[in-house]
Amino acid sequence: MTVREYEVVLLVAQRLGNQEIAARLSISPRTVEKHVASLLEKAGQPNRAALADWAARITSR
């Protein structure tokens, strides 16, 4: 996971949408989509909700 992907996953864990994540990180919503797609694959999660649950677990340690 890259540093930027980690920043995105922290915000996905908070159940923020792509627009909100993009605004917080000063990147485009399309870039957020690409990071989320990469994270789904790397984390082996089937969808964004599962990714958010996974992200909440790994970031709360």
Side-chain angles (χ1 to χ4, degrees):
M1 181 181 312
T2 67
V3 171
R4 182 59 93 182
E5 286 172 343
Y6 186 73
E7 293 169 340
V8 170
V9 88
L10 290 174
L11 298 174
V12 167
Q14 297 175 34
R15 307 265 183 201
L16 298 181
N18 289 353
Q19 296 284 351
E20 294 169 298
I21 294 171
R24 289 198 185 187
L25 298 179
S26 299
I27 58 178
S28 76
R30 179 69 181 129
T31 300
V32 174
E33 287 177 27
K34 289 181 179 184
H35 287 309
V36 170
S38 177
L39 287 162
L40 285 167
E41 186 175 329
K42 288 179 179 181
Q45 300 301 314
N47 55 51
R48 190 183 180 111
L51 179 65
D53 291 341
W54 175 84
R57 283 193 310 275
I58 68 157
T59 60
S60 67
R61 294 180 183 179

